Amino acid sequence: MSAAASSWKARALAHPSPSTYNPTYASLALLAMRDTPAIQNSLTLAVFTDKVAITASGQVVVLSSEDYDAIMTLVEQAKALPLPDSFAHTWRVKHPITSRPIDHLRLGTPGQVDMHQFAVYGYDTEKKELKEPVGDITHIPGELSELMELVLEGRAGFKKDEIDAEIVEKVKSILPQAV
């Protein structure tokens, strides 16, 4: 994993006024939402161009410049990867059982409305083999794996009954309806 951004959440500073932070779609740099058989459209992480991040629990934090830059470098590398020719451009990790989480990612480009979108089915820190190759790629690419590790830090410590629902809904409300 990218040593530069690993443990970004532990280094992030609490936003001075989380309840008044108003995210906008135009400033969205990275969005990760998770679907599981039990819960759909659950926020994992949103990162904005002003270096503010909102986690799965609705925690609003300010990233260090170094962590933000490292995450955005991985975003750019992930955007350069080929998109799988499958529903929702999904990278499917090979698993012996089904019903794994699906992480939907939207990667922004400053000044553009359209976002680069794809999904990762069944991401696992150990299993990297893809169910079907994407072109010549048979395993989750390293840069995508690193990005997923950083994104999933947004779920660290997540407890369904301890969500700041108002903050999470602010993020969801800025998204186009077909998310």
Side-chain angles (χ1 to χ4, degrees), residues 13-87:
L13 302 174
H15 190 278
S17 184
S19 63
T20 63
Y21 183 74
N22 290 311
T24 65
Y25 187 77
S27 67
L28 186 60
L30 163 67
L31 175 71
M33 303 290 286
R34 176 170 269 203
D35 289 337
T36 66
I39 301 171
Q40 289 76 46
N41 206 31
S42 175
L43 176 67
T44 294
L45 180 65
V47 177
F48 298 90
T49 56
D50 58 0
K51 299 181 182 133
V52 170
I54 300 176
T55 67
S57 61
Q59 181 184 17
V60 183
V61 298
V62 180
L63 299 171
S64 71
S65 291
E66 294 80 11
D67 287 340
Y68 177 82
D69 291 345
I71 292 169
M72 290 303 104
T73 295
L74 287 171
V75 163
E76 291 305 314
Q77 291 172 352
K79 288 187 331 191
L81 293 170
L83 287 173
D85 187 23
S86 60
F87 177 74

Side-chain angles (χ1 to χ4, degrees), residues 25 29-32 104-108 115-117 175-176 178-179:
Y25 187 77
L30 163 67
L31 175 71
H104 300 272
L105 282 84
R106 289 179 178 222
L107 310 177
M115 299 192 93
H116 186 85
Q117 298 181 53
L175 302 176
V179 173

Side-chain angles (χ1 to χ4, degrees), residues 9 43-45 54-60 154-160 162-168:
K9 192 174 172 185
L43 176 67
T44 294
L45 180 65
I54 300 176
T55 67
S57 61
Q59 181 184 17
V60 183
R155 293 196 83 75
F158 173 77
K159 293 182 180 155
K160 193 168 61 169
E162 295 179 9
I163 296 174
D164 187 330
E166 185 177 330
I167 300 284
V168 170

Side-chain angles (χ1 to χ4, degrees), residues 1-2 32-36 44 74 81 90-105 118-131 139-153 155:
M1 166 139 69
S2 175
M33 303 290 286
R34 176 170 269 203
D35 289 337
T36 66
T44 294
L74 287 171
L81 293 170
T90 303
W91 296 84
R92 295 184 62 86
V93 176
K94 186 176 180 179
H95 287 281
I97 58 172
T98 60
S99 300
R100 296 293 192 179
I102 303 171
D103 294 291
H104 300 272
L105 282 84
F118 62 90
V120 178
Y121 170 84
Y123 181 76
D124 186 294
T125 57
E126 301 299 318
K127 294 179 180 14
K128 303 295 182 190
E129 184 179 357
L130 296 172
K131 183 175 180 182
H139 290 74
I140 287 282
E143 55 269 51
L144 180 53
S145 183
E146 287 184 42
L147 181 60
M148 286 300 301
E149 291 294 316
L150 297 176
V151 161
L152 291 175
E153 281 189 46
R155 293 196 83 75

